[in-house]
Amino acid sequence: STFRRMDHDEKQRILILNPDFITLRTDLLEQEKATPRNKILALLAKFSVLIFLNITLGGGAFNSPWGILCGSVAYWVVHVIMVAFLFSSAWAAQTYLINRHE
């Protein structure tokens, strides 16, 4: 999709409907000037956990460092942990976004 510039009349209609539009836009631009390090660190931590869990399983030409065999109970436990971790991360992100924008 392409962005188009608003003409003067459209800007005035938005300001009438939402007089705080200019303030909200300015606040948003101010918030997004800096990269939020805590969010970057959270993504890095999630990525690291998933990589660690995948390494524990081994695969292909690499054996599991913990001796986990494909199809064993431990193999499926690690997979359940990965899926639970992904769902809990998604839930945490959803909760954060909902609370931030209420």
Side-chain angles (χ1 to χ4, degrees), residues 37-91:
R37 290 182 193 254
N38 59 339
K39 293 176 186 150
I40 300 292
L41 290 173
L43 284 174
L44 183 62
K46 291 173 188 177
F47 178 76
S48 299
V49 167
L50 291 173
I51 291 297
F52 171 76
L53 289 171
N54 274 304
I55 288 172
T56 62
L57 291 175
F62 302 100
N63 292 329
S64 169
W66 292 348
I68 297 174
L69 299 174
C70 182
S72 67
V73 173
Y75 175 86
W76 289 110
V77 167
V78 172
H79 273 283
V80 167
I81 290 170
M82 275 195 272
V83 170
F85 181 75
L86 287 171
F87 276 111
S88 64
S89 296
W91 176 79

Side-chain angles (χ1 to χ4, degrees), residues 14-25:
I14 288 174
L15 288 174
I16 290 169
L17 293 173
N18 184 2
D20 246 1
F21 179 72
I22 293 173
T23 305
L24 292 172
R25 184 170 184 271

